[in-house]
Amino acid sequence: MSKIPTVIGDPISTEGRKKFYAQFRIGEEDEFSIGDCARFSNPTKSKPPFIGRIVRIYTLPESPQEVQVTVQWYYRAAETTLTGEAVRRYPDQVFESVYTDENCASSIMGKIEILHWSRRSEKRVRKTPSKVQDRELFHYRCRYDPTHRAYTQLPSPHPTERAPTDPDALLEDPEEEKEEKE
């Protein structure tokens, strides 16, 4: 996406010099709201894009046309202490972090979906990256703290849903499926 982001509607609040908005648009069709997830360009071209959730949308008086976003970051397995099979087995798994920072909305490459692991059962996702409405789909079940190299299990954000005791059991194995059909 190389189109210029523009805010949608009037500010919902102000804080100091910042004017906060609920939404912005990139190009004609791509609208982003607070809470949406996106891929962000990585300056290291040989590495995959960063993944984050938009927490705030704002502009500053000195550059009202430049939309800024506060982003809560997610780590891919390869960006944590996990290695080998643990990284390869679930390419759609990400880890929530507590880290946020400010970015230009123009660094957004596209919208994605990030769901809690307990929601995998709705999709019966395979062990390969999947898409929902032409968007990449990722799942999380833990928070990762890179400072302490620690993982914290996160409860489902949907209190009526029960996370499976073995979330890996929700994955379909394409090889097993083939065998069942034969």
Side-chain angles (χ1 to χ4, degrees):
M1 285 185 186
S2 60
K3 300 175 181 133
I4 298 171
T6 55
V7 294
I8 299 172
D10 294 325
I12 55 173
S13 68
T14 58
E15 183 181 301
R17 301 177 8 234
K18 295 179 180 178
K19 290 183 180 181
F20 293 92
Y21 297 84
Q23 294 181 301
F24 67 95
R25 178 181 294 119
I26 299 177
E28 296 295 316
E29 300 174 10
D30 296 311
E31 290 187 5
F32 293 84
S33 300
I34 294 169
D36 283 347
C37 298
R39 290 180 297 121
F40 292 80
S41 61
N42 186 334
T44 306
K45 300 298 180 199
S46 62
K47 296 199 176 198
F50 295 117
I51 296 173
R53 182 178 309 277
I54 298 168
V55 178
R56 299 189 316 173
I57 302 164
Y58 66 93
T59 60
L60 294 168
E62 59 270 16
S63 54
Q65 300 305 318
E66 189 173 307
V67 180
Q68 301 288 321
V69 290
T70 303
V71 180
Q72 175 188 10
W73 296 110
Y74 285 80
Y75 292 101
R76 295 173 190 267
E79 298 167 326
T80 68
T81 58
L82 298 176
T83 59
E85 184 62 22
V87 172
R88 288 186 295 278
R89 189 166 180 199
Y90 306 113
D92 67 340
Q93 180 174 229
V94 293
F95 297 85
E96 183 181 273
S97 80
V98 295
Y99 296 109
T100 61
D101 66 9
E102 316 297 313
N103 289 269
C104 290
S106 60
S107 67
I108 291 176
M109 299 173 66
K111 198 178 272 194
I112 62 171
E113 293 289 327
I114 300 177
L115 301 175
H116 187 270
W117 196 271
S118 64
R119 309 236 0 232
R120 287 180 76 95
S121 60
E122 296 171 15
K123 310 280 184 238
R124 294 292 295 173
V125 176
R126 296 182 187 281
K127 290 181 182 177
T128 56
S130 57
K131 294 192 175 197
V132 173
Q133 298 174 350
D134 293 330
R135 293 185 201 149
E136 285 181 276
L137 174 63
F138 295 91
H139 294 86
Y140 72 97
R141 58 181 162 176
C142 295
R143 176 173 291 137
Y144 175 66
D145 177 355
T147 305
H148 298 100
R149 300 177 143 217
Y151 298 84
T152 306
Q153 188 78 24
L154 295 172
S156 171
H158 312 282
T160 58
E161 292 180 6
R162 295 187 67 211
T165 53
D166 179 13
D168 297 346
L170 293 174
L171 295 171
E172 291 179 2
D173 188 334
E175 293 305 312
E176 287 174 15
E177 250 182 48
K178 259 191 214 175
E179 290 169 14
E180 287 172 14
K181 287 182 182 177
E182 293 174 351

